[in-house]
Amino acid sequence: MESINRTAIELVDEALDFAGELNVAAYELDNEATVIDFGVQANGGIEAGILLAEIQTAGLANVTSTMGRLAGTPRPFIEVTTDHPAIALLCSQKAGWELEFDSFEGLGSGPARALVGRETEFERVGYYDEFEFATLAVESTEIPDETVAEHVADLAGVEPSGVFLPAFATGSIVGSVTMAARAAELAMFRLLELGYDPTDVLTASGSAPVAPVSYDEDVAMGRTNDAIAYGGEVYLQVARDDARFDELVSTAHDDYGTPFLEVFEEADWDLYEVPESVFAPAHVTVDVIDGPTYTHGGIDESMLVDSFGLD
């Protein structure tokens, strides 16, 4: 597998070239790092969100929007398909880089994580990256500053001028789109937590509705997670059978049926205090090569209607 930061930088260049059309804005910081505002102060949009999801998966996934229906009304859904699920979803897309400084707080995802490789995923998958550029998507209500860029450069082993930071708030159009693109990633993460070898997943597809945007970050966090927990569907093709595939879905955890906003409040608004089993798609189908097919969970439209505030 070639460098995922190399494949991602081609998509970053696309964002820079078409910033006006995508309603995003680019900034060069004083240390020459580049920030691309996808949805902090910039408006962004569905197309910008799709491009950012492609950047987060390092160009190893096909990300598209489709029209579905919810409560009898049309609603955009995001679909993601990859034949490299372990690397694209766990080693790149997963939001695993906590960014916390005196003047900034955010969460990082994307291929720059593979330049550091300190998380469990990299050891389990056996993938680490080396490249001169580092791309880290930053979820925050603030524009990343030089402190963030220097931190990323230091851990990734690149010059600050080689750091690219696409940024967005959860409460933005791009935030809703990129979260809807995580259904398959959350299923992969559950498999990893259950002890299943992620390299035995041969292909993965996921779909989830785009949650209505709220500029209240807590409400946005609730809606975007509910979109997957009650409306996310995943298909996996795997090489090896396992008795724990029924634990991949959101119905398997004790908090199922509780809106994520309430789960988050119960955890004192600390994302890291939320049980990891909460982060799971509603419905999963697993095809085992030369074996059985399993289907677990199901869509709960009533929960989505309540969470999204639909009439």
Side-chain angles (χ1 to χ4, degrees), residues 266-284:
E266 181 67 23
D268 292 326
W269 311 105
D270 185 345
L271 191 63
Y272 293 95
E273 292 300 317
V274 176
E276 292 177 341
S277 59
V278 170
F279 301 101
H283 184 269
V284 175

Side-chain angles (χ1 to χ4, degrees), residues 188-250:
M188 287 291 295
F189 180 65
R190 288 293 299 135
L191 280 174
L192 185 81
E193 290 296 296
L194 292 168
Y196 191 85
D197 186 344
T199 62
D200 280 340
V201 184
L202 307 178
T203 189
S205 297
S207 173
V210 176
V213 173
S214 171
Y215 293 125
D216 182 316
E217 285 291 290
D218 293 335
V219 173
M221 181 73 74
R223 287 178 175 177
T224 55
N225 279 278
D226 287 341
I228 295 180
Y230 301 105
E233 297 186 281
V234 173
Y235 167 80
L236 303 174
Q237 187 180 86
V238 303
R240 178 174 56 84
D241 202 353
D242 195 283
R244 296 167 293 182
F245 289 144
D246 61 338
E247 298 180 48
L248 298 181
V249 290
S250 55

Side-chain angles (χ1 to χ4, degrees), residues 10-22 24 26 36 51:
E10 297 175 2
L11 296 166
V12 170
D13 286 341
E14 183 178 339
L16 294 171
D17 289 343
F18 295 96
E21 291 84 350
L22 292 166
V24 305
I36 310 174
L51 179 57

Side-chain angles (χ1 to χ4, degrees), residues 22-27 36-45 143 167 172-174 215:
L22 292 166
N23 291 322
V24 305
Y27 307 90
I36 310 174
D37 181 1
F38 274 78
V40 179
Q41 297 172 358
N43 289 328
I143 296 292
S172 67
I173 299 173
V174 168
Y215 293 125

